[in-house]
Amino acid sequence: MDLYKDRSASDKIVRKISYLSKDLDEVKLCHVCGTHEHVITHYGIRTLLPENVQVVSGPGCPVCVTTQGEIEAAVKIAEKGAILTTYGDMIRVPSKRSLSDAKALGLDIRIVYSINDSINLAISNPDKKIVHFAIGFETTCPTTAISVLDSPDNFFVLSAHRLIPPAMDLLLSSGKINLSGFIDPGHVSTIIGTKPYEPISEKFHVPQVICGFEPNDVLMGIYLLLKQIKEKRAEVENEYTRGVRTEGNTKAQSLMNEVFEPCDIRWRGFPIIPRSGLSLKNKFSNKDAYKEFNIEIEDIPEEKGCSCPEVLRAEKNPRECLLFGDTCIPQNPKGPCMVSREGACYISYKYEKSLR
Amino acid sequence: MCLAVPGKVVEIKEKIGVVDFSGIKREVRLDLVDVKIGDYVIVHTGFAIEKMDEKDALESLEIWKEILKIQEDY
Ligand code: SF4
C-alpha cells in the first residue's frame, strides 16, 4: 500500500493538479470527514495546491455536531442513576453541563472504545441500567444496530447518530458557500456505497469523489474532482476502491434499516436537517433510552464567541476565530471543534499554530 | 470517530476474531463481514466494517498506474 504514501507519486499528482488548474477559475472543494481534515493538515496538502484550488472542512466531526440538548439528555439520564457510556472526546465537549463536569460531580459516566465494551458492562452489572450515548455517522450506526438486536435487557441506546448526505445537501441548498465539489468520506462510504451521493450530484451539478485516508488518496481525489470540473461532469467517483464497494456493505445497511428510521434533527451550527438523524424504530422502544427515561431533547442556544457553527458550515477556517489559540486551546477548549481529535480547530492547533 | 484501521484476521471464534494491527493484536467483532483467516479487514470502534479486497486493491492500482502513466507523457 506504499503507493498511497509515496512521495514521488505525490509529486506527480501535484504536478497534474497544477496543470489542470490553469484552465479553471476559483475552485472550492469541501470534505465532510474529520479524518480527511487530519490527513490534509498533517501532510500540509493545502500548501501543495495551486492558489485557485481551496479545500475547506465541513460538518465531518460527529462529536462536534452533537447538540447541547443531546448532551443535556445524557447528563439527565446519568442523574437518574444509569451508567452512561460514550466515545472518548464526547466527554469534554463544553455544554450547559458537560459530561466531564457531571462525572466530576459523581455521576457514573465512562469512556468506552467500542459499544461492545458497554454491552459487557451491562452483562457484569445486571442490577444497573447501562446507557450508551451513541454518536457517529453511518460508519458507526451498524455497530449500534447490532447492540440493539443482541444485548441484555438492562442495556439501552441514546441515539445521536447522524447521516452525512442530508447535511451535504443542506450545505449546498443554503447557498452560503459556493462549492465546486465534494471529497466524500471513505469509511461512511464503506457502509453506504456510492448511490446515496448521486442525487446530490444530480440536483446541484457538483462532482464528488470518495477518497481514502492516505495523502495520495486525497491528492488523487482532488485531481479527479478537477478533471470532472474541467470536463463539466458531475458524477460520483470512487478513488477508495480498496475499502468501498459500489453497493457498500449491504449486511450493515440491512441491520441499520432493521433497527433505525430516519428522523429530523438539529446539528450544531445547522438548523433542523430533515431525515438526517436516526431514531430507534418503535418495535425497539424497550432499548430506546429516550423512552425508558422519558427524556426529550431540549433546545439550548449555542454559546456566543465560539465560531464552531461557522467552522462546521465551512464558512470560516479555525484561525479566523478570535478565540483560536488564545483563550481557546485543547487544554481549555471553548467549543467542540477544539476538543475532538477530529475537530478542525484541534487539528489546526496541533499542526498549524505557527501559521497564525 | 470515523477513524478505521486495517488489520489482518489471525483467529476466528464465531463472531469474534483476533486482528493483527502490525504486531498489536486485538479482539474484533466480525458480525458485519464474511471473512476467513488471513483476510484484511477495516476496523472501526471494535468492529470489522469491511473486508479489504485484494482484487479491489488491484483494480484501484490500475487506475493509479493509468494516471501515473499519463503523467509521464507530458
Ligand atoms: S477556536 Fe475554539 S472558540 Fe473558536 S471556533 Fe474553534 S472551538 Fe470554537
Side-chain angles (χ1 to χ4, degrees), chain A residues 1 15 69 97 176 181 186 191 305 328 330 349:
Chain A
M1 299 281 156
R15 279 208 298 278
R97 293 191 291 170
K176 280 207 180 146
I191 303 296
C328 181
Y349 186 82

Side-chain angles (χ1 to χ4, degrees), chain A residues 4 12-13 15-16 19 62 113-114 116 139-140 143 146 187 190 216 239 241 245 249 251 255 342, chain B residues 1-2 4 26 29 31-32 34 42 44-47 49-50 52 56 60-61 64 70-72 74:
Chain A
Y4 303 107
K12 285 180 181 172
I13 308 167
R15 279 208 298 278
K16 206 151 174 56
Y19 183 79
Y113 156 72
S114 167
N116 202 43
T139 323
T140 323
T143 67
I146 290 170
H187 292 137
T190 297
N216 289 348
E239 182 278 332
T241 48
R245 283 183 275 152
N249 183 334
K251 204 172 182 178
L255 284 162
E342 302 213 311
Chain B
M1 258 310 294
C2 299
R26 281 196 84 140
R29 285 188 67 161
D31 313 55
L32 298 169
D34 293 310
I42 304 174
H44 168 70
T45 63
F47 288 74
I49 57 167
E50 187 54 283
M52 272 225 176
D56 283 351
S60 125
L61 226 65
W64 275 83
I70 297 168
Q71 171 63 27
E72 314 267 287
Y74 69 84

Side-chain angles (χ1 to χ4, degrees), chain A residues 305-308 311 318 321-325 328 333-339 345:
Chain A
C306 163
S307 302
C308 281
V311 170
C321 171
L322 295 173
L323 307 182
F324 179 88
C328 181
K334 295 284 180 255
C337 302
M338 190 59 93
V339 172
C345 301

Side-chain angles (χ1 to χ4, degrees), chain A residues 121-262:
Chain A
L121 201 60
I123 294 169
S124 52
N125 291 277
D127 51 339
K128 279 275 192 183
K129 289 179 180 175
I130 314 297
V131 177
H132 183 67
F133 187 20
I135 59 162
F137 298 130
E138 288 90 334
T139 323
T140 323
C141 305
T143 67
T144 306
I146 290 170
S147 77
V148 167
L149 293 168
D150 183 16
S151 57
D153 291 344
N154 59 331
F155 175 84
F156 305 89
V157 166
L158 184 69
S159 173
H161 284 308
R162 282 172 170 78
L163 305 172
I164 278 286
M168 294 166 68
D169 184 296
L170 189 116
L171 268 182
L172 293 175
S173 317
S174 76
K176 280 207 180 146
I177 44 168
N178 205 358
L179 294 181
S180 335
F182 275 116
I183 294 170
D184 289 342
H187 292 137
V188 164
S189 310
T190 297
I191 303 296
I192 67 177
T194 61
K195 271 240 154 47
Y197 302 106
E198 285 171 4
I200 300 169
S201 277
E202 280 160 27
K203 187 167 159 196
F204 301 99
H205 199 80
V206 289
Q208 302 179 65
V209 176
I210 296 167
C211 287
F213 297 98
E214 298 294 349
N216 289 348
D217 285 317
V218 175
L219 285 172
M220 185 60 88
I222 294 170
Y223 165 71
L224 292 170
L225 283 167
L226 297 184
K227 194 160 181 286
Q228 283 205 47
I229 294 170
K230 184 172 174 190
E231 292 165 3
K232 301 201 164 25
R233 288 182 291 125
E235 294 161 17
V236 180
E237 288 182 283
N238 182 8
E239 182 278 332
Y240 191 35
T241 48
R242 62 192 190 281
V244 175
R245 283 183 275 152
T246 307
E247 70 280 15
N249 183 334
T250 48
K251 204 172 182 178
Q253 289 164 21
S254 54
L255 284 162
M256 268 168 78
N257 292 337
E258 184 179 351
V259 169
F260 295 110
E261 59 194 1

Side-chain angles (χ1 to χ4, degrees), chain B residues 25-62:
Chain B
K25 289 181 185 163
R26 281 196 84 140
E27 281 200 347
V28 162
R29 285 188 67 161
L30 302 173
D31 313 55
L32 298 169
V33 289
D34 293 310
V35 285
K36 53 184 189 323
I37 288 176
D39 284 343
Y40 281 84
V41 287
I42 304 174
V43 178
H44 168 70
T45 63
F47 288 74
I49 57 167
E50 187 54 283
K51 189 158 89 172
M52 272 225 176
D53 209 316
E54 214 167 301
K55 187 177 133 281
D56 283 351
L58 282 177
E59 272 169 16
S60 125
L61 226 65
E62 277 307 310

Side-chain angles (χ1 to χ4, degrees), chain A residues 269-320:
Chain A
F270 290 82
I272 289 174
I273 308 179
R275 300 175 68 78
S276 69
L278 288 179
S279 53
L280 266 63
K281 283 186 174 166
N282 255 337
K283 65 173 168 178
F284 298 107
S285 50
N286 62 326
K287 286 286 173 193
D288 190 338
Y290 285 111
K291 298 203 169 117
E292 175 70 18
F293 294 88
N294 194 20
I295 279 176
E296 283 181 12
I297 302 179
E298 266 177 66
D299 213 351
I300 304 172
E302 278 156 26
E303 291 292 321
K304 295 214 168 57
C306 163
S307 302
C308 281
E310 290 91 335
V311 170
L312 292 167
R313 291 196 302 266
E315 291 166 17
K316 255 191 190 176
N317 91 44
R319 276 162 290 112
E320 289 174 292

